[in-house]
């Protein structure tokens, strides 16, 4: 099986609130819009906020997390705070060497913003 592309699809309880969060609070650029939905660029992936499928009776939360790499987690924390986004956990260097900061979208979907330090193995070319 060949995977040609991928994206995360969110079906929020309140489309307008979630759309504003990803567009305005996180500042993601719009990839495309369609009647009833918006798709955002998220690095090498896409996040689609669908205006259909979610309702007040839908379960809250998300079993996984959205992983977004940033250049500087501390700067991102300041920017998000100025945009009114609550930070669940400030940037911390994890035992595996990545700097991670956690927050949630309006439906409680966990989002981890990750900074890859210059000396981290992910940055090394092993070829």
């Amino acid at each position: 099986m060949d995977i040609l592309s991928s994206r995360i699809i969110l079906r929020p309880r309140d489309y307008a609130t979630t759309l504003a969060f990803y567009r305005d609070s996180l500042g993601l650029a719009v990839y495309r819009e369609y009647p009833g939905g918006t798709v955002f660029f998220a690095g090498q992936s896409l996040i689609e906020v669908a205006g259909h499928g979610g309702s007040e009776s839908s379960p809250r939360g998300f079993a996984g997390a959205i992983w977004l790499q940033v250049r500087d987690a501390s700067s991102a924390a300041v920017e998000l705070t100025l945009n009114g986004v609550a930070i669940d956990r400030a940037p911390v260097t994890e035992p595996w060497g990545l700097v991670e900061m956690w927050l949630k979208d309006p439906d409680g979907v966990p989002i981890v913003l990750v900074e890859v330090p210059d000396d981290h193995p992910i940055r090394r070319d092993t070829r």
Side-chain angles (χ1 to χ4, degrees):
M1 171 174 59
D2 292 331
I3 305 298
L4 302 178
S5 68
S6 66
R7 71 177 60 171
I8 296 167
I9 299 176
L10 303 174
R11 299 187 191 287
R13 293 172 183 238
D14 182 335
Y15 173 74
T17 298
T18 300
L19 177 67
F21 176 82
Y22 284 95
R23 182 191 59 218
D24 305 329
S25 298
L26 290 187
L28 298 184
V30 173
Y31 167 66
R32 80 185 213 30
E33 296 175 291
Y34 62 92
T38 303
V39 182
F40 295 98
F41 285 108
Q44 296 176 350
S45 185
L46 300 170
I47 297 173
E48 179 175 344
V49 178
H52 52 84
S55 71
E56 283 300 317
S57 62
S58 298
R60 288 192 73 82
F62 184 74
I66 296 175
W67 193 96
L68 300 173
Q69 184 179 348
V70 297
R71 291 188 193 282
D72 183 322
S74 295
S75 294
V78 170
E79 181 180 341
L80 291 170
T81 300
L82 291 173
N83 286 340
V85 176
I87 307 296
D88 292 336
R89 196 186 79 182
V92 172
T93 301
E94 299 290 355
W96 45 90
L98 298 175
V99 178
E100 295 186 1
M101 173 177 61
W102 288 80
L103 53 123
K104 291 183 184 82
D105 83 356
D107 278 309
V109 175
I111 299 171
V112 56
L113 298 183
V114 179
E115 175 186 335
V116 181
D118 291 338
D119 62 346
H120 194 276
I122 288 176
R123 291 193 182 263
R124 292 190 205 131
D125 184 357
T126 58
R127 290 179 278 158

